[in-house]
Amino acid sequence: MARRLLLDVSSLMYRAFFSIPTSVTGETGQPVNAVHGYLDMCARLAADHRPSGLTHAFDHDWRPAPRVRAYAGYKAARPPDPEGLPEQFDILRAALHALGQPVAEAKGWEAEDAIGSICAAAGARGRSDAVTGDRDLIQLVRDPQVRVLFTLRGVTQLRVLDEAGVQEHYGVPASRYADFATLRGDPSDGLPGVRGVGEVTARSLIQSYPSLEALLEDAASPRRSGAPLQRSPSLRANVLASREYLEAMRLVVPIRTDLKVTSTDLREPNEAALQELSKTHRLGGPVGRLRAALKI
């Protein structure tokens, strides 16, 4: 069964921006390197995977208010986008609309939340691959409905993560990946994790405790047992000191799967709009390659 590709636009656009020189410009001299790279990535994905379709998921808000209310440090220290990138998202959106490609977003939320909600709405009969370089989406993996195609080198080298793949590469079940990420932290999102807990310790704790609630219960317990926290007073103290942080992460780390997602429908390409965009932004090559791969 062909699978739909759900594309994390921000993740792929960043990769495209830094892999193609900004000397690739449109008529006005504005950089269009990320748009060129993104469209070529889509063409390669379509040619290699023969999906049932593509859905391009945009961030509506890259720093959603509910996550910031729960933890003010969420993405607070992330540097601004590099010069020449932000305006390219509008060009890409216009190109995708002209191509008749589905564009999706969830108001007030990130692309990953739109993808999570699309997967949930598809239910047991849905088959989707999320294409991203963002590890957060790994928590969505469920056989056989959802896999993650994790970008290692553009989209020419992808790590296919089904449940077995997540277990092999991270040593935890996909269903516990959010807990694993909570303990380990993610500096790129401004999430420090629990002090003294890296990937190895986080993996051990996930394997030893069925939930974060059980972990906190053991940390607070006066009894002495053979459980990992009872064998390491310093780790136990660090977990107890992180209780408020761990509680906040319940609202920060999990991807939302219950949101209303707005999505455009698949349509025939708008030839006049494509001609104008191809001329103004010199998109003729990548647009042509994507059309050939999608047979549109």
Side-chain angles (χ1 to χ4, degrees):
M1 177 186 294
R3 304 173 73 90
R4 172 165 289 274
L5 294 184
L6 306 176
L7 307 177
D8 182 350
V9 170
S10 291
S11 175
L12 297 182
M13 282 284 279
Y14 270 82
R15 284 186 173 269
F17 183 84
F18 288 108
S19 63
I20 298 174
T22 54
S23 57
V24 176
T25 63
E27 279 190 336
T28 64
Q30 177 183 352
V32 289
N33 56 320
V35 179
H36 276 241
Y38 182 91
L39 294 176
D40 277 336
M41 286 181 182
C42 290
R44 180 65 182 264
L45 287 165
D48 288 352
H49 297 272
R50 298 297 176 191
S52 60
L54 307 179
T55 296
H56 308 264
F58 280 75
D59 288 333
H60 186 269
D61 189 340
W62 65 276
R63 199 166 176 250
R67 289 192 171 112
V68 174
R69 282 197 298 270
Y71 186 71
Y74 182 66
K75 294 186 177 179
R78 181 170 290 189
D81 287 340
E83 184 179 354
L85 176 59
E87 54 270 31
Q88 293 195 55
F89 284 92
D90 291 333
I91 298 171
L92 175 65
R93 191 183 290 264
L96 293 173
H97 280 307
L99 283 161
Q101 288 292 292
V103 170
E105 60 189 354
K107 185 176 181 179
W109 293 90
E110 300 174 66
E112 62 194 41
D113 301 297
I115 290 173
S117 297
I118 290 170
C119 292
R125 289 184 290 182
R127 299 290 186 273
S128 300
D129 286 340
V131 185
T132 185
D134 187 340
R135 292 183 297 181
D136 291 340
L137 280 163
I138 293 171
Q139 64 186 270
L140 295 179
V141 169
R142 296 293 184 276
D143 292 344
Q145 289 86 8
V146 184
R147 302 186 306 184
V148 165
L149 305 185
F150 193 81
T151 54
L152 299 175
R153 187 175 182 181
V155 294
T156 61
Q157 186 178 353
L158 298 168
R159 177 175 292 154
V160 180
L161 293 173
D162 54 10
E163 290 188 18
V166 175
Q167 185 70 50
E168 176 185 354
H169 288 284
Y170 297 99
V172 299
S175 60
R176 297 292 309 283
Y177 188 85
D179 290 346
F180 173 71
T182 293
L183 293 169
R184 180 201 60 205
D186 187 345
S188 68
D189 284 345
L191 306 180
V194 175
R195 182 180 179 183
V197 175
E199 288 210 3
V200 172
T201 302
R203 184 180 303 115
S204 174
L205 292 174
I206 292 299
Q207 293 169 349
S208 301
Y209 296 95
S211 65
L212 294 185
E213 290 80 1
L215 173 71
L216 286 167
E217 182 180 344
D218 190 46
S221 174
R223 60 186 168 80
R224 292 292 177 264
S225 68
L229 290 184
Q230 301 295 345
R231 296 197 303 267
S232 174
S234 61
L235 179 57
R236 180 186 181 199
N238 287 340
V239 169
L240 285 173
S242 299
R243 180 185 291 275
E244 289 187 8
Y245 170 81
L246 292 173
E247 290 293 335
M249 289 305 101
R250 297 174 190 269
L251 300 175
V252 174
V253 174
I255 289 175
R256 293 290 298 268
T257 59
D258 58 349
L259 302 175
K260 179 181 179 181
V261 178
T262 58
S263 179
T264 58
D265 294 326
L266 180 67
R267 305 182 308 275
E268 291 295 319
N270 183 328
E271 300 296 348
L274 281 176
Q275 185 174 359
E276 179 61 28
L277 284 165
S278 294
K279 177 178 181 294
T280 303
H281 301 294
R282 296 174 178 161
L283 295 176
V287 164
R289 288 187 284 273
L290 179 54
R291 295 190 70 170
L294 293 174
K295 296 181 172 58
I296 58 174

